[in-house]
Amino acid sequence: MSRNSLTLKIVALSGVLLIPVSALSQTSNEYAQMAKATWSAFECSSLAYKARLPDEQERLFRFGYEQGKSFISALLDQKIAQEDLSQEAPTILLLLLQGPTPDFMLGRIYESAQESALEGIYRTGDISYDDEEQQLNAENKFSRLNCNLIGN
């Protein structure tokens, strides 16, 4: 076996051994950022529904749900430092972490994120928008929030 092929095999084996370790370990800060990703994905999922983008609505909901499950699990397992929570997680989301199960908590979070996202979509002040204007408002806000980048 030549020296170059031995070196190549060692480098390849090292890469294989290192990938699973780094892929499985999350930092406290990364877990805390999952709270932000959950909130944003749920907001954008609601906007996608109103903008009549069903594939985006489902993709964003699933992403938010999975991020939320991971975040809540890490929080319950005390894997997130208070400092990271304070800096990364939306305060409103933290206030909604009450209930008997993680799914219940995620339902509360989704409902609040949806309410936040749809503010100004149906009406502004005394002006109510028709369905077409609501869809346009949702499309504009979806674009403004860069929703297509979340989870991709």
Side-chain angles (χ1 to χ4, degrees):
M1 181 179 309
S2 74
R3 184 174 180 179
N4 285 345
S5 83
L6 179 60
T7 302
L8 186 60
K9 286 181 182 179
I10 291 172
V11 169
L13 182 58
S14 299
V16 169
L17 293 175
L18 292 176
I19 289 172
V21 173
S22 64
L24 293 177
S25 62
Q26 301 281 338
T27 66
S28 169
N29 188 269
E30 289 168 330
Y31 280 126
Q33 288 177 7
M34 289 178 183
K36 193 182 298 181
T38 299
W39 183 266
S40 295
F42 281 169
E43 279 189 317
C44 288
S45 175
S46 298
L47 290 169
Y49 174 79
K50 196 63 190 161
R52 297 185 183 123
L53 302 168
D55 292 341
E56 280 295 276
Q57 186 273 328
E58 183 175 345
R59 180 187 71 79
L60 288 160
F61 178 83
R62 288 182 187 277
F63 179 75
Y65 180 76
E66 291 303 320
Q67 290 289 294
K69 281 184 8 183
S70 296
F71 166 73
I72 292 171
S73 177
L75 188 64
L76 294 174
D77 292 341
Q78 299 179 342
K79 294 181 179 180
I80 309 174
Q82 185 62 44
E83 180 180 343
D84 291 327
L85 276 177
S86 298
Q87 290 178 358
E88 299 296 337
T91 303
I92 185 67
L93 183 140
L94 297 176
L95 295 173
L96 298 167
L97 292 173
Q98 300 170 358
T101 66
D103 277 343
F104 184 90
M105 292 177 217
L106 285 171
R108 290 176 46 129
I109 293 165
Y110 179 83
E111 182 179 15
S112 187
Q114 182 177 52
E115 186 178 313
S116 171
L118 297 178
E119 191 173 308
I121 301 298
Y122 295 103
R123 65 180 306 136
T124 301
D126 292 339
I127 301 169
S128 293
Y129 302 117
D130 63 23
D131 286 341
E132 199 173 299
E133 291 170 314
Q134 291 172 19
Q135 181 180 352
L136 183 59
N137 289 342
E139 289 170 357
N140 288 336
K141 194 169 185 181
F142 185 89
S143 177
R144 200 170 53 250
L145 294 177
N146 293 314
C147 291
N148 59 327
L149 299 179
I150 295 172
N152 282 328

